[in-house]
Amino acid sequence: MERKSELKRNLSLLEITLVGIGDILGAGIYVLIGKAAGLAGNMVWASFLFAGFTASLSALSYMELSSMYPRAGAEYVFARKAFGERTGLFVGLLVIYYVAITASAVALGFGRYFSTIFGGGILIGAISLYILLSLVMVYGIKESARLAILMTFIELSGLLIIIYVGIPYLGTVNYSETPSLSGVFEASALIIFAFLGFEDIVRLSQETKDAEKATPKALFISIFVTIFLYICVAVTSVSVLDFQVLGISDIPLAEVAAVAFGEKAFVLLSWIALFSTMNTVLVVMLGGSRIVYGMANSGSLPKILARVHPKLKTPWTAIFGIALFSSLFVFLGDIATVANIANFMIFIVFFIVNISLIKLRYIDPERRRPFRVPVSIGRFPIIPTLGALSAVFLFSQISKEVMLYGFFLAGISAILVLLKTGKRKDKLLTG
């Protein structure tokens, strides 16, 4: 009976939009803006603008594809429809890596703020967060979404405070000053992480009312709002605090607030950042558990991961599985390294998602598309092509150390795909 249970459509357009905004806002801006400012200098606003533009190109492809296939498997489903089971499974595994590593990077950020407020080790705070959020997610999607929405308003208030305190300082620095132009693009490659999370809107589509129309709308609103806020926060942050000081800070926005308003503001922003990072881990793991569920439900992962709680209607085995896997990466320790490993995965995923849309325009032109990416030459879409190329460009900005980690994990995924599809062929031949 448990395996026959289905996910329940509980989320409205407003709820899924606020969940998406909260997911995008929490991670990079509170945790990585300091590292980005150290690379890009006062031009960090340009890094956010370029990263946002790149994310927007791929988001448009997600909009069309999610309107065609509003299922929990998301990227796995898109790639499988375009290129077959092997590519779909490979992309799905990369997304699971990305989700797990993203959650661990943000959990480390949570641990830093937790340690600042309460003392104790960073890892203790991070692991405790996984336990708490896993229980919340199993309890219910509606309750998880409401908690995420509440924390979205908290983290939004923190960014508005930073913008407000920076207003008197505007114009006091040269906003074109940068250590190097390459540093601006290197920072973009890092802080694309700050825009990730819009895909979780797609992964929750199987629990969204009227998903074909609501999901593309929620994606568009979430991306637009966050790009605007990020650029405002970036400009005000370097106006208040020297970019070199930001570059070495573990809790950058709290220090920006402290310069303007003193120690009380430092404590307030630390609390807000605590909730913001918690929110991102919650929504990232929500989306990740749904892609695990979607893949397991289709037979690409062990069926045990497709179990839905008969009363709570949540994929409880997928939730605990992704939480356990994600918690392993917190032991790497360095937030920038962990975030860039996640970026390595998502650049590959963005590339494949964009070219999946291009191919589906040719092989499945008659399928209903409530949202369609504009600007095409015949059937050939221009924007997904630019999205694929921009993903390749940002991929090239990743360091050799991160490449090593990334290719190692991608290689494991490729081996698992070959083993899985090989077993299926053997069963068909012997059957």
Side-chain angles (χ1 to χ4, degrees):
M1 181 175 180
E2 190 176 45
R3 293 188 183 182
K4 292 181 181 178
S5 299
E6 293 184 355
L7 303 181
K8 191 174 181 180
R9 293 190 183 275
N10 270 326
L11 302 176
S12 67
L13 170 61
L14 177 62
E15 287 172 324
I16 196 67
T17 301
L18 289 173
V19 167
I21 291 173
D23 188 9
I24 299 169
L25 287 181
I29 199 69
Y30 280 97
V31 176
L32 295 175
I33 189 172
K35 302 289 184 185
L39 292 168
N42 292 339
M43 279 192 72
V44 67
W45 61 269
S47 299
F48 275 102
L49 182 60
F50 185 78
F53 175 73
T54 300
S56 298
L57 294 174
S58 293
L60 286 168
S61 293
Y62 273 88
M63 289 181 199
E64 179 170 331
L65 290 166
S66 67
S67 74
M68 295 166 65
Y69 311 108
R71 305 292 294 172
E75 296 96 335
Y76 160 71
V77 174
F78 307 156
R80 181 165 59 85
K81 293 288 185 180
F83 297 104
E85 177 63 23
R86 281 188 174 181
T87 304
L89 181 54
F90 179 70
V91 169
L93 291 173
L94 290 187
V95 172
I96 292 172
Y97 280 140
Y98 146 66
V99 166
I101 298 168
T102 296
S104 64
V106 183
L108 284 170
F110 173 90
R112 287 184 176 181
Y113 284 103
F114 183 89
S115 179
T116 299
I117 296 170
F118 299 107
I122 292 172
L123 291 179
I124 292 174
I127 298 300
S128 299
L129 180 65
Y130 280 113
I131 295 171
L132 172 65
L133 294 183
S134 296
L135 295 174
V136 171
M137 287 186 289
V138 169
Y139 187 75
I141 182 62
K142 194 77 172 179
E143 291 74 17
S144 299
R146 285 174 176 170
L147 177 60
I149 289 167
L150 173 63
M151 292 191 289
T152 294
F153 285 114
I154 293 173
E155 65 187 343
L156 180 57
S157 70
L159 298 184
L160 293 176
I161 289 171
I162 293 297
I163 294 170
Y164 175 75
V165 302
I167 289 174
Y169 296 85
L170 292 177
T172 58
V173 298
N174 177 7
Y175 297 109
S176 63
E177 182 183 354
T178 178
S180 69
L181 190 59
S182 63
V184 174
F185 291 114
E186 190 178 347
S188 291
L190 173 62
I191 58 180
I192 192 75
F193 186 84
F195 288 96
L196 302 182
F198 68 82
E199 333 84 69
D200 290 317
I201 297 173
V202 178
R203 295 179 195 129
L204 294 174
S205 59
Q206 207 166 330
E207 291 159 281
T208 302
K209 300 171 187 175
D210 195 16
E212 290 181 349
K213 294 180 180 179
T215 300
K217 288 179 182 177
L219 278 165
F220 177 78
I221 297 169
S222 300
I223 289 284
F224 179 81
V225 170
T226 50
I227 288 176
F228 176 75
L229 285 172
Y230 280 165
I231 292 174
C232 291
V233 170
V235 169
T236 53
S237 295
V238 296
S239 299
V240 174
L241 201 59
D242 186 272
F243 71 81
Q244 293 176 326
V245 177
L246 281 171
I248 59 174
S249 174
D250 288 335
I251 43 178
L253 292 189
E255 293 197 14
V256 170
V259 169
F261 282 160
E263 186 63 28
K264 289 184 178 179
F266 178 88
V267 174
L268 175 62
L269 259 294
S270 295
W271 272 100
I272 290 173
L274 192 75
F275 283 108
S276 300
T277 48
M278 180 190 298
N279 191 26
T280 297
V281 175
L282 170 62
V283 183
V284 166
M285 287 176 57
L286 269 176
S289 64
R290 270 53 182 183
I291 197 166
V292 170
Y293 164 81
M295 292 177 67
N297 201 37
S298 68
S300 293
L301 289 178
K303 277 290 183 182
I304 190 173
L305 294 172
R307 291 185 177 179
V308 176
H309 196 283
K311 292 183 179 179
L312 301 174
K313 300 297 183 184
T314 53
W316 65 277
T317 53
I319 289 169
F320 285 127
I322 199 72
L324 178 62
F325 182 54
S326 178
S327 65
L328 299 177
F329 289 93
V330 301
F331 295 99
L332 287 175
D334 181 63
I335 289 177
T337 299
V338 176
N340 268 320
I341 296 172
N343 289 344
F344 175 99
M345 303 298 171
I346 206 62
F347 291 147
I348 297 175
V349 172
F350 279 0
F351 176 80
I352 295 176
V353 166
N354 281 297
I355 62 173
S356 293
L357 176 55
I358 295 170
K359 185 173 182 181
L360 286 166
R361 285 284 186 92
Y362 287 91
I363 66 173
D364 197 6
E366 302 304 319
R367 178 171 287 273
R368 183 170 175 268
R369 291 167 165 83
F371 176 86
R372 190 179 184 91
V373 177
V375 190
S376 298
I377 300 174
R379 289 184 183 177
F380 186 78
I382 302 300
I383 291 176
T385 305
L386 295 175
L389 292 175
S390 63
V392 172
F393 174 75
L394 287 179
F395 184 89
S396 70
Q397 305 300 307
I398 294 175
S399 69
K400 292 180 180 178
E401 177 192 2
V402 172
M403 289 275 191
L404 188 63
Y405 281 118
F407 279 119
F408 174 74
L409 292 172
I412 292 175
S413 297
I415 292 170
L416 290 174
V417 169
L418 292 174
L419 291 174
K420 179 72 176 177
T421 53
K423 284 182 180 179
R424 284 190 179 180
K425 285 185 178 179
D426 288 343
K427 284 183 179 180
L428 288 172
L429 291 172
T430 54

